Amino acid sequence: MTRIGFFTRLLDDAPPGERYRLAAEQIEHAERLGFDTAWVAQHHFDGGEGGLPAPLVFLSHLAARTSRIRLGTAIITLPLEHPVRVAEDAAVLDLLSGGRLEVGVGGGGTPTAFAAFGRDPAQRGSIYAEHLQVLMDAWSGKDLGGGNHLYPAAPALLDAIWEATFSAYGGARAGRAGNGLMLARTQPRPEEAPHATLAEIQKPIVDAYYANLPSGVAPRVMASRTAFVADTREEALRWAARGLAKPGLRQPDGAGVDALIAAWDAHVGTPEDVIAGLKADPTLERATDLVFQVHSIDPPHEQILRSIELLATEVVPALGAANPLVLSLGEPA
């Protein structure tokens, strides 16, 4: 594991403009504390699922407010975008940020959102593959039709593509392309293995990725994990009970906060609790990036800031991934 990241879906309990301000503050806080990367999700129309339809616009704002932390999309829903426009916007943002952009893409998204873009969700797989190829062609400098080539050129972004997937097929596809692999913080359990651990579900995906990675290409495997750290276990569990019991989230049989935490593959509690849980996850031994998020717990802003501090100062060093860039609180990055 070489890099530590912070991820947000911009779900603070506030109007959209305030959500964006709070998320920016959280990412700036993560930079001051030595985090290597910051990631934002894209969601269309449903503010309860995610608060940001235009991640590259938001990251342009962040690029002007930060200086070191790398800025990533997790993810751009590629079937709903024009790939040439994504290539252009990303190229400009990468220049403005000083080459700090990471581009995570995927074929997912809420099926109902596809109608507004004139797309058939049943065709998402083929559209995704087509759009990803155009994106890679653009950054490779290939003819995009009519003798047109991407301006500004952005060949470095070819090494900044990440693919999100729930399947071994997707892991193999990302590996063959030499792209990064993005693993989710939680996944539905298959009917034949309802009690499988997250590591057991994700192992075939990682295996397929490594098996298909071209010789000489360095692996890039991101493991996203829910981690909410508080000064006391009681405080952490109180916010977890509130967040994980929200309407629309699956609820395991046998209610109780511990069952909810287990069902959502979350790491919740004191630094010692979270350290123990993360050390028991064998997926992290093969990951190059560990990215923390607080969804679906989504505590208030001040608790998120404190969790970021505890992750940086206590959890990350205990995992053997101490970052020499950690600065004292309040010192500008």
Side-chain angles (χ1 to χ4, degrees):
M1 194 182 335
T2 60
R3 300 196 304 182
I4 300 296
F6 171 72
F7 173 86
T8 176
R9 291 172 178 253
L10 291 83
L11 282 172
D12 295 274
D13 186 14
E18 181 67 359
R19 282 187 177 187
Y20 301 156
R21 186 189 73 80
L22 294 175
E25 186 176 324
Q26 291 159 17
I27 291 170
E28 289 176 282
H29 193 56
E31 179 177 66
R32 284 194 296 271
L33 284 159
F35 279 62
D36 301 291
T37 61
W39 302 82
V40 295
Q42 178 185 49
H43 291 89
H44 294 287
F45 309 120
D46 185 357
E49 174 62 22
L52 184 63
L56 294 176
V57 174
F58 180 75
L59 291 181
S60 293
H61 173 67
L62 259 295
R65 295 182 55 162
T66 58
S67 61
R68 179 192 56 79
I69 198 166
R70 295 188 66 80
L71 305 170
T73 59
I75 57 170
I76 293 173
T77 309
L78 206 51
L80 303 184
E81 304 288 340
H82 194 295
V84 175
R85 290 293 298 118
V86 173
E88 291 177 328
D89 287 350
V92 172
L93 172 51
D94 194 50
L95 287 174
L96 291 173
S97 69
R100 290 187 284 139
L101 183 61
E102 305 272 351
V103 185
V105 295
T110 306
T112 55
F114 280 66
F117 290 89
R119 300 289 186 180
D120 180 358
Q123 302 299 317
R124 69 175 65 195
S126 59
I127 299 171
Y128 171 79
E130 176 187 343
H131 286 192
L132 179 58
Q133 188 60 56
V134 172
L135 196 65
M136 296 174 70
D137 287 348
W139 291 336
S140 298
K142 294 182 179 179
D143 187 340
L144 298 174
N148 294 299
H149 300 265
L150 186 72
Y151 179 87
L157 288 178
L158 290 168
D159 296 322
I161 301 173
W162 298 77
E163 296 192 59
T165 184
F166 276 176
S167 71
Y169 172 83
R173 178 188 60 213
R176 283 193 300 272
N179 295 331
L181 173 67
M182 305 180 85
L183 300 172
R185 78 192 193 285
T186 188
Q187 288 187 221
R189 272 39 178 184
E191 291 185 6
E192 66 274 14
H195 301 295
T197 67
L198 182 62
E200 289 169 342
I201 293 173
Q202 292 185 337
K203 183 179 184 301
I205 304 174
V206 181
D207 287 345
Y209 174 77
Y210 274 95
N212 285 274
L213 199 65
S215 177
V217 175
R220 290 181 290 129
V221 178
M222 176 198 297
S224 177
R225 293 296 184 261
T226 294
F228 173 54
V229 195
D231 291 291
T232 68
R233 179 169 172 78
E234 291 72 23
E235 180 186 8
L237 294 181
R238 182 170 69 253
W239 290 114
R242 172 179 162 177
L244 294 175
K246 288 192 293 282
L249 295 183
R250 66 177 184 270
Q251 305 294 317
D253 294 334
V257 64
D258 289 330
L260 285 169
I261 290 169
W264 284 97
D265 301 301
H267 302 275
V268 175
T270 63
E272 293 75 18
D273 294 327
V274 173
I275 290 165
L278 292 170
K279 282 188 172 181
D281 185 347
T283 306
L284 305 188
E285 298 172 5
R286 306 171 74 189
T288 61
D289 290 64
L290 174 57
V291 174
F292 296 114
Q293 59 175 295
V294 294
H295 188 67
S296 295
I297 297 164
D298 302 318
H301 177 64
E302 292 302 323
Q303 279 69 40
I304 294 174
L305 294 180
R306 180 57 176 157
S307 182
I308 291 171
E309 292 171 13
L310 291 170
L311 285 167
T313 59
E314 299 194 35
V315 174
V316 170
L319 296 176
N323 193 326
L325 295 173
V326 172
L327 307 176
S328 62
L329 292 180
E331 183 179 344

